[in-house]
Amino acid sequence: TQSTWEIKQKEAAIKHLAQKYATKRRKRRQNIYSYFSVYRMLQREEDSDQEQQEEGGEGAEELTEEDIEQCLYSLGDHNTYLRFNREPVDKLIMWMRRYFNPEAPESSDYSLAIQAGSEGARLTHNHKRQYTDVLQSL
């Protein structure tokens, strides 16, 4: 389907960006049963630690592919959160401005005025004041 294709495209783009901008590549799986490959892996780690100490001491920051992927997915989550929580409010603001006159209602059916004690209202506001309060609340 279209959505499956789009998801695969997005994941491929994230992988591409992660590989392009990572300062530290993913570690490839080694054959753990081979003594020689384990020895080489340990030797590389020792060499890498020694290089880090020579370059800038311990704890030199590296940006891994996983770090970049996590950041990109986090940004996507944030955009989704905004889309689902801000867009409905933006629509309500648009409808308020489109269908309600801020100064006075076009008819009593469109009045936003509230009267204390009527339908649970605790305050009394004319249409203009209530329009302003509702718009500011949104």
Side-chain angles (χ1 to χ4, degrees), residues 3-56:
S3 59
T4 304
W5 180 81
E6 289 174 355
I7 290 169
K8 287 183 180 183
Q9 289 291 102
K10 178 182 170 183
E11 289 176 355
I14 288 172
K15 296 269 186 223
H16 172 74
L17 290 171
Q19 290 171 354
K20 182 176 180 179
Y21 293 105
T23 57
K24 183 176 181 180
R25 300 284 176 217
R26 282 192 178 125
K27 290 185 178 180
R28 305 238 189 257
R29 290 187 181 172
Q30 299 288 330
N31 180 354
I32 61 172
Y33 300 108
S34 166
Y35 174 77
F36 182 70
S37 62
V38 171
Y39 174 77
R40 281 187 18 219
M41 181 177 69
L42 293 173
Q43 188 64 39
R44 270 192 241 126
E45 286 180 8
E46 285 177 15
D47 292 344
S48 175
D49 291 344
Q50 189 174 14
E51 286 173 13
Q52 269 188 358
Q53 288 175 356
E54 289 171 2
E55 288 175 2

Side-chain angles (χ1 to χ4, degrees), residues 93 96 112 129-138:
I93 291 171
M96 282 280 298
L112 297 175
R129 171 83 185 263
Q130 186 64 9
Y131 177 91
T132 302
D133 287 353
V134 170
L135 203 55
Q136 287 177 348
S137 296
L138 293 171

Side-chain angles (χ1 to χ4, degrees), residues 84-95:
F84 284 101
N85 291 287
R86 194 189 77 210
E87 284 183 8
V89 174
D90 289 343
K91 281 184 181 179
L92 286 171
I93 291 171
M94 180 202 55
W95 290 337

Side-chain angles (χ1 to χ4, degrees), residues 119-130:
E119 297 184 32
R122 293 181 161 185
L123 303 170
T124 299
H125 291 314
N126 63 20
H127 172 84
K128 183 178 179 178
R129 171 83 185 263
Q130 186 64 9

